[in-house]
Amino acid sequence: ELFSGAELEQIVVSGLTVAFADSRELNTDDLLDSAREIVPLAITMDDKLKDLREWANPRARRATANRRRVDFFSDWEQT
C-alpha cells in the first residue's frame, strides 16, 4: 500500500532478474523477497511528504473527490 507505481515496477524487474539468473519462471517468493529489499519513498520521505501535504492543502485542488460530498449530491439528485 505504500509503494508507488515505479517502486512496484522495480519489484517486478528485480524479481524477474533473480528468476532469470536461476533459469526459472518468476514466482511469488521472488516478488516478496524483492519487496522486502525496497524501502518505499513514502517511508524514507515521510517528513517531506507531510510538509508538502500541509503546504498544498489550502493552495491546490485534490486529485480525488471527497466521497461524502459526491454521495450527498448523488442522493440529492435522486430525490
Side-chain angles (χ1 to χ4, degrees), residues 34-76:
S34 295
R36 287 184 194 105
E37 294 175 1
I38 294 176
V39 179
L41 280 176
I43 292 174
T44 58
M45 302 293 283
D46 186 47
D47 291 336
K48 287 188 179 187
L49 288 172
K50 284 180 186 176
D51 292 342
L52 182 60
R53 285 187 187 110
E54 286 178 19
W55 175 88
N57 191 29
R59 295 174 178 88
R61 180 183 291 178
R62 294 184 60 82
T64 56
N66 181 338
R67 289 303 314 162
R68 289 181 15 198
R69 186 177 298 154
V70 171
D71 292 342
F72 170 78
F73 284 113
S74 66
D75 292 341
W76 184 59

